[in-house]
Amino acid sequence: MSTLRNIDKLFEGRHFDREAIALCFHWYLRYKLSLRDLVEMMSERGLSLAHTTIMCWVNRFTPEFVKRENRVATTAGRWWRVDETYVKIRGKWVYRYRAVDRAGKTVDSRLSSRCDVAAAKAFFTKAIKSQELAPKTITLDGYAAPHRAVREMKIDKLLPDGTTLRSSKYLDNLIEQDHRNLKARVNVMLGFKRFRTAATTISGIELMHRIRKGQFNLMKLHLKDATAPSVWTAVLSARLDDEKSDGFALACAICTTTLEPFR
């Protein structure tokens, strides 16, 4: 696992306070707000910034926040529902592989330019690595590519022989419904121009969705009080060790209180 940057160095040289950056980051990825909506909301709080500034913040800080959240995230179950959804980049469809467990918790996701056996294998490999345990059951729809990918991974010993593969539209409704959060947020955007930008932004949306589901461990933050202000104060304190700084992404997402106008 890569080393996290010190939180002060992460925001070093930025014109705006990290509270303002985190708030814009959180609101843009969590709610159906455009960049210009956020510009207007920030202007009401005494901040004058451009919509492109917020876009740069999202691209710059999302990977770092995802790494921090992953260090306090809890693992999902081993009964996976896997499906792919679609996102348009520069007028062309690309594919977002996603998986949830039978309780609806997000297992993992991956953006791919193709929807074939190789893409499905790459997703399963990434998901197994993130969860540290192979699934006991994988439920898919009728599309042939992921079925073939699972069979070949079992032959190559990348998946245990005991992993059950099944196809069920009824059981796969769980992941179909979970796609709605991603689609609802992406559909109100003007569209993506680059694959890398799309992958970064969507990973941030997925991050907020996981946090909203409660897929994190507050014990790693050494907090007795799990309220949003307490987490926010702990994370944004003057000095943070590596373990507490892991919660920065968490605080950005669960802090739903309205901050006072920035000075």
Side-chain angles (χ1 to χ4, degrees), residues 155-167:
I155 294 174
D156 296 336
K157 305 301 180 183
L158 299 176
L159 278 172
D161 292 333
T163 299
T164 302
L165 175 63
R166 61 186 179 181
S167 178

Side-chain angles (χ1 to χ4, degrees), residues 31-77:
Y31 304 110
K32 298 176 185 178
L33 297 170
S34 69
L35 294 172
R36 288 173 175 80
D37 287 335
L38 282 174
V39 169
E40 185 175 345
M41 293 168 67
M42 291 299 106
S43 66
E44 293 177 355
R45 288 161 172 78
L47 282 180
S48 178
L49 48 84
H51 69 280
T52 52
T53 301
I54 301 176
M55 182 178 65
C56 290
W57 288 345
V58 172
N59 292 331
R60 169 65 183 82
F61 292 109
T62 295
E64 186 72 21
F65 289 4
V66 169
K67 285 193 296 182
R68 292 174 186 274
E69 191 272 345
N70 285 340
R71 293 203 172 192
V72 294
T74 57
T75 57

Side-chain angles (χ1 to χ4, degrees), residues 41-263:
M41 293 168 67
M42 291 299 106
S43 66
E44 293 177 355
R45 288 161 172 78
L47 282 180
S48 178
L49 48 84
H51 69 280
T52 52
T53 301
I54 301 176
M55 182 178 65
C56 290
W57 288 345
V58 172
N59 292 331
R60 169 65 183 82
F61 292 109
T62 295
E64 186 72 21
F65 289 4
V66 169
K67 285 193 296 182
R68 292 174 186 274
E69 191 272 345
N70 285 340
R71 293 203 172 192
V72 294
T74 57
T75 57
R78 300 179 66 186
W79 291 264
W80 295 3
R81 314 283 199 265
V82 181
D83 190 32
E84 62 277 342
T85 186
Y86 309 90
V87 179
K88 188 171 285 188
I89 300 177
R90 226 177 243 284
K92 295 183 179 180
W93 291 109
V94 297
Y95 308 91
R96 185 74 181 182
Y97 283 86
R98 303 183 69 251
V100 300
D101 65 10
R102 60 184 178 182
K105 292 185 177 180
T106 301
V107 175
D108 208 337
S109 60
R110 182 179 184 272
L111 191 68
S112 174
S113 59
R114 302 178 67 180
C115 187
D116 54 13
V117 175
K121 284 184 177 180
F123 166 71
F124 285 122
T125 301
K126 180 175 181 287
I128 293 170
K129 184 178 180 180
S130 69
Q131 296 298 310
E132 299 180 354
L133 289 173
K136 291 183 177 180
T137 301
I138 299 176
T139 302
L140 302 168
D141 58 12
Y143 186 57
H147 286 265
R148 179 180 171 185
V150 172
R151 291 194 297 267
E152 291 183 2
M153 290 181 72
K154 291 174 72 172
I155 294 174
D156 296 336
K157 305 301 180 183
L158 299 176
L159 278 172
D161 292 333
T163 299
T164 302
L165 175 63
R166 61 186 179 181
S167 178
S168 171
K169 290 184 178 180
Y170 172 74
L171 293 176
D172 221 33
N173 283 342
L174 184 64
I175 180 66
E176 292 282 358
Q177 292 299 311
D178 199 73
H179 289 331
R180 295 174 64 185
N181 178 76
L182 174 63
K183 291 180 178 179
R185 184 64 195 93
V186 172
N187 287 344
V188 298
M189 296 179 177
L190 293 178
F192 298 109
K193 300 298 186 294
R194 295 183 179 181
F195 186 90
R196 181 177 179 181
T197 300
T200 300
T201 303
I202 294 174
S203 68
I205 297 172
E206 294 277 12
L207 165 65
M208 296 303 174
H209 192 39
R210 291 172 62 189
I211 293 173
R212 188 166 61 88
K213 293 178 182 179
Q215 293 184 233
F216 48 80
N217 185 0
L218 286 177
M219 295 299 293
K220 289 188 177 182
L221 298 178
H222 305 291
L223 291 179
K224 296 181 180 179
D225 184 3
T227 60
S230 298
V231 177
W232 188 267
T233 301
V235 173
L236 296 181
S237 58
R239 295 181 61 84
L240 296 172
D241 57 31
D242 286 341
E243 208 168 18
K244 284 186 179 180
S245 67
D246 291 340
F248 188 76
L250 169 62
C252 296
I254 69 175
C255 182
T256 57
T257 56
T258 302
L259 299 182
E260 296 180 358
F262 300 110
R263 299 177 180 177

